[in-house]
Amino acid sequence: MARNGVERAVDVRDLSLTFQTADGPVYALSQVNLEVKAGDFVSFIGPSGCGKTTLMRVIADLEQPTGGNITVNGVSPQEARLARAYGYVFQAPALYPWRSIERNVALPLEIMGLGREERRERARKYLELVNLTGFDKKYPWQLSGGMQQRASIARALCFDPDLLLMDEPFGALDEIVRDHLNEQLLQLWDKTGKTVVFVTHSIPEAVFLSTHIVVMSPRPGRIIDIIESPLPRERPLDIRESPEFLEVAQRVREGLRAGHSYDE
Protein backbone atom coordinates (compact mmCIF):
# COMPACT_ATOMS: atom_id res chain seq x y z
CA MET A 1 0.00 0.00 0.00
CA ALA A 2 1.28 3.46 -0.91
CA ARG A 3 2.28 5.69 1.98
CA ASN A 4 1.81 9.45 1.82
CA GLY A 5 0.12 9.02 -1.57
CA VAL A 6 3.35 7.88 -3.27
CA GLU A 7 3.05 4.53 -5.02
CA ARG A 8 6.72 4.24 -6.02
CA ALA A 9 9.08 4.35 -3.08
CA VAL A 10 12.13 4.30 -5.38
CA ASP A 11 12.26 5.03 -9.12
CA VAL A 12 15.63 4.64 -10.87
CA ARG A 13 16.09 5.50 -14.56
CA ASP A 14 19.26 4.81 -16.59
CA LEU A 15 21.39 5.40 -13.52
CA SER A 16 25.17 5.18 -13.74
CA LEU A 17 27.93 5.95 -11.27
CA THR A 18 31.64 6.24 -12.02
CA PHE A 19 34.23 6.87 -9.32
CA GLN A 20 37.30 8.84 -10.35
CA THR A 21 40.44 7.42 -8.73
CA ALA A 22 44.18 7.94 -9.05
CA ASP A 23 44.33 4.72 -11.09
CA GLY A 24 41.57 5.81 -13.45
CA PRO A 25 37.78 5.60 -13.47
CA VAL A 26 35.93 2.82 -11.64
CA TYR A 27 32.57 2.02 -13.23
CA ALA A 28 30.41 1.04 -10.26
CA LEU A 29 26.91 1.13 -11.79
CA SER A 30 25.78 1.15 -15.42
CA GLN A 31 22.32 1.86 -16.87
CA VAL A 32 20.36 0.69 -13.84
CA ASN A 33 16.56 0.81 -14.12
CA LEU A 34 14.43 -0.15 -11.13
CA GLU A 35 11.03 0.53 -9.59
CA VAL A 36 10.35 -0.28 -5.94
CA LYS A 37 6.68 0.02 -5.07
CA ALA A 38 5.57 1.26 -1.66
CA GLY A 39 5.17 -1.66 0.74
CA ASP A 40 7.43 -4.05 -1.19
CA PHE A 41 10.38 -5.98 0.26
CA VAL A 42 13.13 -5.84 -2.38
CA SER A 43 16.50 -7.57 -2.07
CA PHE A 44 19.66 -6.79 -4.04
CA ILE A 45 21.86 -9.85 -4.55
CA GLY A 46 25.10 -10.26 -6.48
CA PRO A 47 28.82 -10.90 -6.06
CA SER A 48 31.09 -8.73 -3.93
CA GLY A 49 31.85 -5.45 -5.67
CA CYS A 50 28.80 -5.56 -7.94
CA GLY A 51 27.40 -2.26 -6.68
CA LYS A 52 24.62 -3.51 -4.36
CA THR A 53 25.64 -1.27 -1.47
CA THR A 54 26.56 1.56 -3.84
CA LEU A 55 23.04 1.52 -5.29
CA MET A 56 21.59 1.58 -1.76
CA ARG A 57 23.88 4.49 -0.86
CA VAL A 58 22.63 6.39 -3.93
CA ILE A 59 19.05 5.86 -2.70
CA ALA A 60 20.16 7.21 0.69
CA ASP A 61 21.90 10.26 -0.87
CA LEU A 62 25.26 9.03 0.44
CA GLU A 63 26.64 8.71 -3.11
CA GLN A 64 25.86 10.88 -6.13
CA PRO A 65 25.14 9.26 -9.51
CA THR A 66 27.06 10.49 -12.55
CA GLY A 67 24.23 9.75 -14.95
CA GLY A 68 20.51 9.06 -15.02
CA ASN A 69 17.77 9.95 -12.56
CA ILE A 70 16.44 8.70 -9.23
CA THR A 71 13.53 9.68 -7.00
CA VAL A 72 12.76 8.47 -3.48
CA ASN A 73 9.13 8.86 -2.39
CA GLY A 74 8.62 11.09 -5.42
CA VAL A 75 11.41 13.56 -4.58
CA SER A 76 15.19 13.68 -4.95
CA PRO A 77 17.30 11.52 -2.62
CA GLN A 78 18.55 14.70 -0.95
CA GLU A 79 15.01 15.91 -0.27
CA ALA A 80 14.06 12.46 1.01
CA ARG A 81 17.07 12.44 3.34
CA LEU A 82 16.29 15.88 4.71
CA ALA A 83 12.67 14.81 5.23
CA ARG A 84 13.94 11.75 7.15
CA ALA A 85 12.06 9.49 4.74
CA TYR A 86 14.28 6.47 5.35
CA GLY A 87 16.02 4.59 8.14
CA TYR A 88 19.37 2.90 7.45
CA VAL A 89 20.56 -0.33 9.07
CA PHE A 90 24.28 -1.00 8.55
CA GLN A 91 26.20 -4.29 8.43
CA ALA A 92 27.36 -3.72 12.02
CA PRO A 93 24.97 -2.44 14.72
CA ALA A 94 27.07 0.71 15.31
CA LEU A 95 25.73 1.26 18.82
CA TYR A 96 27.52 3.61 21.23
CA PRO A 97 28.88 1.48 24.10
CA TRP A 98 28.48 4.25 26.69
CA ARG A 99 24.77 4.75 25.94
CA SER A 100 22.03 2.42 27.16
CA ILE A 101 20.02 0.55 24.54
CA GLU A 102 17.11 2.94 25.07
CA ARG A 103 19.36 5.97 24.55
CA ASN A 104 20.97 4.39 21.48
CA VAL A 105 17.56 3.80 19.93
CA ALA A 106 16.41 7.32 20.82
CA LEU A 107 19.53 9.02 19.42
CA PRO A 108 17.87 10.16 16.13
CA LEU A 109 14.99 11.60 18.17
CA GLU A 110 17.47 13.44 20.40
CA ILE A 111 19.11 14.94 17.30
CA MET A 112 15.64 15.96 16.06
CA GLY A 113 15.08 17.83 19.33
CA LEU A 114 12.23 15.76 20.77
CA GLY A 115 11.62 15.91 24.51
CA ARG A 116 12.93 13.28 26.91
CA GLU A 117 9.58 11.65 27.68
CA GLU A 118 8.61 11.35 24.02
CA ARG A 119 12.03 9.91 23.21
CA ARG A 120 11.67 7.35 25.97
CA GLU A 121 8.14 6.42 24.93
CA ARG A 122 9.07 5.94 21.28
CA ALA A 123 12.25 4.02 22.07
CA ARG A 124 10.34 1.58 24.27
CA LYS A 125 7.61 1.20 21.63
CA TYR A 126 10.11 0.16 18.97
CA LEU A 127 12.13 -2.00 21.34
CA GLU A 128 8.90 -3.87 22.00
CA LEU A 129 8.37 -4.18 18.23
CA VAL A 130 11.75 -5.93 17.86
CA ASN A 131 11.17 -8.09 20.97
CA LEU A 132 13.64 -6.28 23.23
CA THR A 133 11.23 -5.19 25.97
CA GLY A 134 13.07 -5.12 29.29
CA PHE A 135 16.49 -4.50 27.73
CA ASP A 136 16.18 -0.71 27.53
CA LYS A 137 18.57 -0.08 30.46
CA LYS A 138 21.18 -2.60 29.28
CA TYR A 139 24.31 -1.58 27.40
CA PRO A 140 25.35 -2.94 23.97
CA TRP A 141 28.11 -5.11 25.44
CA GLN A 142 25.48 -6.91 27.55
CA LEU A 143 23.53 -8.03 24.46
CA SER A 144 24.25 -10.73 21.88
CA GLY A 145 25.09 -9.77 18.30
CA GLY A 146 21.58 -10.58 17.14
CA MET A 147 20.02 -8.49 19.90
CA GLN A 148 22.32 -5.57 19.08
CA GLN A 149 21.24 -5.71 15.45
CA ARG A 150 17.58 -5.75 16.50
CA ALA A 151 18.29 -2.62 18.56
CA SER A 152 19.81 -0.97 15.48
CA ILE A 153 16.62 -1.82 13.55
CA ALA A 154 14.56 -0.21 16.32
CA ARG A 155 16.76 2.90 16.04
CA ALA A 156 16.18 3.05 12.27
CA LEU A 157 12.41 2.81 12.80
CA CYS A 158 12.00 5.13 15.79
CA PHE A 159 11.25 8.25 13.72
CA ASP A 160 8.73 6.31 11.57
CA PRO A 161 10.36 6.53 8.11
CA ASP A 162 8.49 5.23 5.06
CA LEU A 163 11.53 3.33 3.78
CA LEU A 164 13.93 0.98 5.58
CA LEU A 165 17.34 0.46 3.93
CA MET A 166 19.24 -2.60 5.22
CA ASP A 167 22.82 -3.36 4.15
CA GLU A 168 23.56 -7.03 4.94
CA PRO A 169 22.37 -6.58 8.53
CA PHE A 170 22.62 -10.30 9.40
CA GLY A 171 25.73 -11.20 7.39
CA ALA A 172 28.02 -11.57 10.43
CA LEU A 173 25.62 -13.75 12.44
CA ASP A 174 25.52 -17.52 12.64
CA GLU A 175 22.91 -19.43 10.65
CA ILE A 176 20.58 -20.22 13.56
CA VAL A 177 20.43 -16.58 14.72
CA ARG A 178 20.11 -15.41 11.12
CA ASP A 179 17.12 -17.68 10.50
CA HIS A 180 15.43 -16.38 13.64
CA LEU A 181 16.02 -12.75 12.68
CA ASN A 182 14.77 -13.38 9.14
CA GLU A 183 11.49 -14.63 10.62
CA GLN A 184 11.29 -11.63 12.95
CA LEU A 185 12.04 -9.20 10.12
CA LEU A 186 9.17 -10.58 8.04
CA GLN A 187 6.84 -10.16 11.02
CA LEU A 188 8.11 -6.61 11.54
CA TRP A 189 7.58 -5.77 7.84
CA ASP A 190 4.06 -7.15 8.03
CA LYS A 191 3.23 -5.14 11.17
CA THR A 192 4.66 -1.82 9.99
CA GLY A 193 3.87 -1.84 6.26
CA LYS A 194 7.26 -0.26 5.55
CA THR A 195 9.02 -0.50 2.21
CA VAL A 196 12.25 -2.47 2.69
CA VAL A 197 15.33 -2.47 0.46
CA PHE A 198 17.74 -5.19 1.58
CA VAL A 199 21.28 -6.12 0.48
CA THR A 200 22.43 -9.72 0.85
CA HIS A 201 24.90 -12.30 -0.49
CA SER A 202 22.63 -15.18 0.52
CA ILE A 203 20.29 -16.73 -2.06
CA PRO A 204 18.08 -18.44 0.60
CA GLU A 205 17.83 -15.18 2.56
CA ALA A 206 16.87 -13.16 -0.53
CA VAL A 207 14.23 -15.68 -1.60
CA PHE A 208 12.79 -16.13 1.91
CA LEU A 209 12.40 -12.42 2.63
CA SER A 210 11.53 -10.72 -0.61
CA THR A 211 8.57 -9.80 -2.75
CA HIS A 212 11.10 -8.99 -5.49
CA ILE A 213 14.72 -10.10 -5.92
CA VAL A 214 17.07 -7.90 -7.96
CA VAL A 215 19.98 -9.93 -9.38
CA MET A 216 23.06 -7.84 -10.19
CA SER A 217 26.15 -8.46 -12.31
CA PRO A 218 29.81 -7.93 -11.43
CA ARG A 219 31.18 -4.42 -11.90
CA PRO A 220 29.98 -2.35 -13.58
CA GLY A 221 26.82 -3.22 -11.67
CA ARG A 222 23.86 -3.90 -13.92
CA ILE A 223 20.52 -5.53 -13.22
CA ILE A 224 20.41 -8.97 -14.81
CA ASP A 225 17.00 -10.06 -13.58
CA ILE A 226 14.14 -8.88 -11.35
CA ILE A 227 12.22 -11.84 -9.95
CA GLU A 228 8.76 -11.42 -8.47
CA SER A 229 8.24 -13.96 -5.72
CA PRO A 230 5.21 -16.28 -5.93
CA LEU A 231 5.50 -17.11 -2.21
CA PRO A 232 2.72 -16.08 0.21
CA ARG A 233 3.28 -13.10 2.51
CA GLU A 234 3.34 -15.35 5.59
CA ARG A 235 6.36 -17.62 5.27
CA PRO A 236 7.43 -20.20 7.85
CA LEU A 237 11.06 -21.34 7.62
CA ASP A 238 10.05 -24.72 6.22
CA ILE A 239 8.77 -22.99 3.07
CA ARG A 240 12.43 -23.15 1.99
CA GLU A 241 11.86 -26.84 1.19
CA SER A 242 8.89 -26.14 -1.10
CA PRO A 243 9.09 -26.53 -4.91
CA GLU A 244 8.13 -22.85 -5.36
CA PHE A 245 10.98 -21.66 -3.14
CA LEU A 246 13.53 -23.92 -4.84
CA GLU A 247 12.37 -22.78 -8.26
CA VAL A 248 12.92 -19.10 -7.39
CA ALA A 249 16.31 -19.90 -5.81
CA GLN A 250 17.36 -21.70 -8.99
CA ARG A 251 16.39 -18.70 -11.11
CA VAL A 252 18.48 -16.43 -8.86
CA ARG A 253 21.40 -18.86 -9.16
CA GLU A 254 21.10 -18.94 -12.94
CA GLY A 255 21.04 -15.15 -13.06
CA LEU A 256 24.23 -14.95 -11.03
CA ARG A 257 25.89 -17.49 -13.32
CA ALA A 258 24.76 -15.58 -16.40
CA GLY A 259 26.50 -12.53 -14.95
CA HIS A 260 29.75 -14.55 -14.64
CA SER A 261 29.74 -13.90 -10.91
CA TYR A 262 31.75 -17.03 -10.17
CA ASP A 263 34.58 -15.96 -12.49
CA GLU A 264 35.31 -12.74 -10.64
Side-chain angles (χ1 to χ4, degrees):
M1 182 182 295
R3 289 185 53 136
N4 298 331
V6 178
E7 184 175 343
R8 292 178 186 168
V10 180
D11 194 3
V12 180
R13 301 291 174 186
D14 297 322
L15 187 138
S16 298
L17 193 155
T18 302
F19 293 108
Q20 299 297 332
T21 73
D23 297 323
V26 174
Y27 301 99
L29 297 168
S30 176
Q31 299 297 303
V32 172
N33 289 280
L34 177 66
E35 292 180 10
V36 177
K37 291 184 179 179
D40 276 354
F41 194 123
V42 176
S43 287
F44 299 162
I45 188 168
S48 296
C50 75
K52 303 183 297 297
T53 294
T54 300
L55 180 54
M56 181 173 285
R57 288 175 61 83
V58 170
I59 295 170
D61 193 41
L62 300 176
E63 300 286 358
Q64 306 305 315
T66 49
N69 297 287
I70 176 172
T71 60
V72 180
N73 285 350
V75 299
S76 71
Q78 181 185 36
E79 290 173 299
R81 175 176 56 80
L82 293 175
R84 300 185 176 92
Y86 68 83
Y88 203 116
V89 181
F90 296 91
Q91 293 180 25
L95 302 173
Y96 290 113
W98 60 87
R99 295 178 72 108
S100 68
I101 295 302
E102 178 188 289
R103 292 188 65 228
N104 266 287
V105 169
L107 181 58
L109 306 176
E110 190 175 324
I111 292 169
M112 291 165 63
L114 272 66
R116 180 174 297 177
E117 285 306 313
E118 186 173 356
R119 295 199 308 265
R120 181 176 296 139
E121 183 179 332
R122 282 216 215 174
R124 290 181 177 177
K125 171 187 173 182
Y126 285 100
L127 284 170
E128 180 181 0
L129 198 63
V130 298
N131 296 318
L132 283 178
T133 298
F135 290 91
D136 48 307
K137 301 304 180 188
K138 301 290 186 183
Y139 287 84
W141 53 270
Q142 295 176 297
L143 273 59
S144 69
M147 294 169 78
Q148 289 183 35
Q149 197 60 291
R150 278 151 55 196
S152 75
I153 294 170
R155 180 181 57 195
L157 290 171
C158 71
F159 52 92
D160 195 28
D162 294 328
L163 178 62
L164 187 60
L165 305 176
M166 307 185 76
D167 186 7
E168 289 196 81
F170 310 139
L173 303 175
D174 68 63
E175 188 173 358
I176 295 171
V177 173
R178 189 169 184 157
D179 283 350
H180 181 57
L181 291 181
N182 280 178
E183 287 185 298
Q184 289 193 322
L185 180 57
L186 277 184
Q187 293 167 11
L188 184 69
W189 171 63
D190 192 52
K191 287 178 184 176
T192 62
K194 304 292 185 189
T195 307
V196 180
V197 178
F198 190 92
V199 168
T200 181
H201 277 99
S202 167
I203 294 175
E205 183 170 66
V207 177
F208 180 70
L209 291 173
S210 312
T211 61
H212 296 78
I213 303 145
V214 177
V215 184
M216 297 184 68
S217 72
R219 188 181 298 138
R222 304 178 315 279
I223 293 178
I224 296 170
D225 197 4
I226 300 176
I227 303 164
E228 183 173 0
S229 174
L231 301 178
R233 191 177 178 98
E234 292 188 13
R235 304 175 186 181
L237 278 175
D238 59 10
I239 203 171
R240 296 183 300 186
E241 307 303 321
S242 69
E244 294 83 5
F245 185 99
L246 297 173
E247 184 177 339
V248 176
Q250 182 59 27
R251 182 170 163 186
V252 174
R253 196 169 287 109
E254 288 171 356
L256 292 171
R257 285 175 178 156
H260 307 293
S261 61
Y262 298 113
D263 297 331
E264 294 299 305

